[in-house]
Amino acid sequence: MQSSLIDVVVPAAGVGKRMQLNIPKQYALIHSATVLEHTVKALMRCERVGRIIVGVSDTDEYFDSLNFDRQRVIKGPGGKERSDTVRECLALCTTEYVMVHDAARPLILKEDLDKLCLKADGKTQGAILACAVTDTIKLVEDGKIVKTVPRKNLFRAYTPQLCRLDLLKQSLNYAFENNLAITDDASALELSGFVVEIVEGSADNFKLTTREDLNMARLLIKE
């Protein structure tokens, strides 16, 4: 079952409402390829990446027409929530460690992937790519600043997020069974009492959420 390769789950069952497009944002075009195709291509630059399981909804009309190596890129089930998609797709993973990566982060760098994969050492429980907060952070209530929050120990959580497969399955099942809200895979591990480390990565690895993000990605990704 176990190998030096790392399977990657890419949840892609969402619609990206904030992008306000007539198609799910992972299928928006950046030049001649979709966001999802750019994301998968970026992941496959890393030699440690094994199979990529893309979780899509039952009503998805686009995935089957994309140009993927179908031996390595596999269609997985999509759930109601992102965490449901990840939980269901983990059943298709066969490596000791897995990574979960957002479909809408096509700017992930090979160097950052390589650094994160070094954490798949048999001792690490979980590790994520993260970026130190550089802006001044304000706590706000009712449109008024309550206080300035010290940013010294604050990081923005990015993906991929690396976890031992057995621990992530256990953590997601625990959150599901106890109706606990989780915002990423690291938070599921945290709720179960596991230790999650950070690996500092590039700030360019931002998630495409708005049309402005999509336009920026089109500038950063060459034809």
Side-chain angles (χ1 to χ4, degrees):
M1 171 183 171
Q2 298 177 1
S3 73
S4 61
L5 294 177
I6 302 169
D7 286 343
V8 184
V9 171
V10 178
V15 296
K17 293 179 180 178
R18 282 178 286 182
M19 191 76 76
Q20 296 183 330
L21 301 174
N22 58 359
I23 57 173
K25 66 181 179 181
Q26 60 268 28
Y27 298 117
L29 286 177
I30 298 179
H31 307 308
S32 58
T34 64
V35 169
L36 181 58
E37 286 172 307
H38 282 289
T39 298
V40 169
K41 182 179 179 180
L43 289 170
M44 293 181 75
R45 292 191 184 106
C46 176
E47 292 81 1
R48 293 289 302 276
V49 168
R51 296 180 307 153
I52 299 173
I53 297 93
V54 183
V56 299
S57 70
D58 293 338
T59 58
D60 187 289
E61 302 174 0
Y62 307 95
F63 180 82
D64 289 338
S65 66
L66 299 185
N67 183 27
F68 288 136
D69 174 357
R70 298 294 171 169
Q71 296 298 313
R72 291 187 62 191
V73 183
I74 300 165
K75 181 165 69 171
K80 181 179 179 182
E81 303 293 339
R82 180 187 186 276
S83 59
D84 298 323
T85 298
V86 175
R87 189 163 51 85
E88 294 183 31
C89 285
L90 288 179
L92 301 176
C93 296
T94 59
T95 52
E96 180 183 9
Y97 282 87
V98 294
M99 292 190 288
V100 182
H101 186 58
D102 294 329
R105 291 187 193 267
L107 292 159
I108 177 65
L109 298 178
K110 181 183 183 299
E111 305 92 273
D112 288 347
L113 286 168
D114 291 341
K115 286 193 297 182
L116 183 63
C117 287
L118 290 176
K119 291 291 184 178
D121 55 6
K123 296 176 288 186
T124 301
Q125 295 178 332
I128 71 170
L129 285 180
C131 189
V133 171
T134 56
D135 296 314
T136 298
I137 303 298
K138 304 291 186 181
L139 179 64
V140 176
E141 291 182 4
D142 298 323
K144 299 180 179 62
I145 294 173
V146 175
K147 66 176 180 178
T148 299
V149 180
R151 67 187 178 205
K152 180 181 178 182
N153 296 316
L154 295 181
F155 285 80
R156 288 179 285 166
Y158 284 177
T159 69
Q161 301 194 346
L162 174 87
C163 317
R164 265 181 41 191
L165 175 59
D166 58 342
L167 300 186
L168 184 55
K169 283 182 175 180
Q170 176 184 331
S171 300
L172 288 173
N173 286 334
Y174 174 80
F176 177 75
E177 291 165 2
N178 291 276
N179 198 30
L180 299 174
I182 59 172
T183 55
D184 65 356
D185 307 287
S187 62
L189 291 178
E190 294 161 31
L191 286 170
S192 293
F194 298 117
V195 177
V196 182
E197 304 171 31
I198 66 161
V199 174
E200 290 201 53
S202 169
D204 284 346
N205 182 26
F206 58 89
K207 187 177 182 179
L208 308 190
T209 303
T210 66
R211 289 199 181 196
E212 288 75 15
D213 296 332
L214 182 60
N215 290 335
M216 178 61 71
R218 286 170 174 156
L219 291 174
L220 293 172
I221 294 176
K222 296 181 180 180
E223 178 71 58

